[in-house]
Amino acid sequence: MAAHQKVSSDKYTELVSGGLGRELAKRLGLPQPAVLRRFTPGVPLVQGPILVVGHSAGADAVSAVLLSWGQDVRRHATPRDTLGAIVLVLDELAHPDQLSAPLREVGGALRDLQRNGRIVGISRQADAQDTPEAAAARNAVDGILRSLAKELRAGATANGVVLANGTAADAPSTMSALRFFLSARSAFVDGQFLTASSEGSATEPNWDRPLEGRVAVVTGAARGIGASIARTLARDGAKVVAVDVPAAGDQLAAVANEVHGTALQLDITATEAGARILDHAAQRHGRLDIVVHNAGITRDKLLANMDAARWDSVIAVNIAAQLRINQALLASSHFADHPRIISVSSTSGIAGNRGQTNYAASKAGVIGMVRATAPLLAEKGGTVNAVAPGFIETAMTAKIPFATREVARRLNSLQQGGRPEDVAEAIAYFASEASAGVTANILRVCGQNLVGQ
Ligand code: NAD
């Protein structure tokens, strides 16, 4: 992010994070957003013991993995013993009656959860083959974790890993999803679920540099979320190709230099964009493994006032370009070594937003595209997923008028806007080898935004 660029910043959260400001907010009943703990290399995964609730063989297996990561694991709650996280393993549910005991155990331990604590559920996907009782119990976990996420305070979050049919509780992709939710990388992900299957190798990933040796393209990388994605993927070991329009050339070069990657000036709506990306990656880096479709624009108007230029440009950049580039990638033998595609959608594409029929069409379109592309990429051993950011503090959101911005920013369980790195961390998680069994997922990075659906 260039220093001169105006980015919205959340002065209110800073003000109420301590001293007189905190006291005043409390007395007036105003929102008291917590300062979220973000990922810093070298800092422990979880700050405090992890309580594993559940008595299945799966719960034992998950505990064993946590121990192998050097975590302090507890199988029984001891009152007033501060906890960094609670992992609730419910992989053998057959009837909603079985929820009572483990949930009361979690309830009893909640007051011992530290600031920025984590609750992660591990449960099975409910599907049509289940008995109605088992499906009810499995789906009940969804309601529990989403409600718990709304009850937690002080930066704590609740999320869930859902086991696809036939997947063991401690499968590699389950454990990588658990690790993401436990870590500070998921600071702004709340009330969300990742579905994991048994795909993927059992060899322990390099958790410090999971993208070592991989080449990643990031579109819209000159600023905002895209620049942050470039930095995060490079931090995790990837060689990054930063793509943006020629008009953003100087900022693009600065980002590419900073991450020791290369810059490709390219309008992604160009017909030959896919070929240009493949050629650049092959010539400069010898391979291409990860493509992050981040470039996006807004041209807001109520539909009654929408002109063709606004509608067409948003569709062209936000979805048509991604479809065309993906076609070129799928046809190429140079994008075939466990490739990863990650698209940036938006909560507007899930819940809709006034004045954004064009933008919401494009971002909901991204979700449809991701789901239909997953089987095609699976043939190459690859995955495709999307992140759907809510309110993120960038130049895009700095343009929103003050009152609207303040409401949009507070309307989530964490009562604040996210930061570009929150989106970037979720993308890096999907990009890693350890996420091989995670495809066609749409992960909201929105602090559990309350705008509907
Ligand atoms: P931004 O406007 O700060 O950055 C977008 C970048 O994309 C710019 O550098 C721009 O030059 C580039 N770009 C635009 N058209 C392009 C084209 N045709 N070819 C190549 N590059 C192009 O936006 P941001 O806030 O960083 O958003 C990044 C992505 O996240 C977008 O897809 C956006 O829709 C999505 N998103 C943002 C938010 C938010 O709150 N900021 C919320 C949800 C989703």
Side-chain angles (χ1 to χ4, degrees), residues 24 27 36 39 62 98 165 196 228 231-232 253 267 288 301 305 312 322 325 344 367 384 393 419 439 443:
L24 203 62
R27 284 213 198 140
L36 303 182
F39 177 73
V62 169
Q98 295 164 337
N165 223 335
S228 187
R231 290 185 192 109
T232 305
D267 182 335
L288 178 59
K301 274 280 174 205
N305 305 325
D312 294 346
Q322 294 194 21
I325 292 170
V344 179
I367 294 172
V384 48
E393 309 282 357
R419 298 213 305 235
T439 194
L443 182 67

Side-chain angles (χ1 to χ4, degrees), residues 220 222-226 244-245 248 266-269 294-297 317 344-346 359 363 389-392 394-397:
R223 66 179 202 185
I225 294 172
D244 213 300
V245 288
L266 171 71
D267 182 335
I268 56 161
T269 62
N294 162 77
I297 57 170
V317 176
V344 179
S345 177
S346 164
Y359 184 74
K363 295 298 187 179
F391 184 98
I392 306 294
T394 65
M396 193 184 252
T397 47

Side-chain angles (χ1 to χ4, degrees), residues 299 301 303 305-316 358:
R299 298 286 183 270
K301 274 280 174 205
L303 186 60
N305 305 325
M306 184 77 70
D307 54 88
R310 281 194 170 82
W311 184 275
D312 294 346
S313 57
V314 168
I315 298 294
N358 53 352

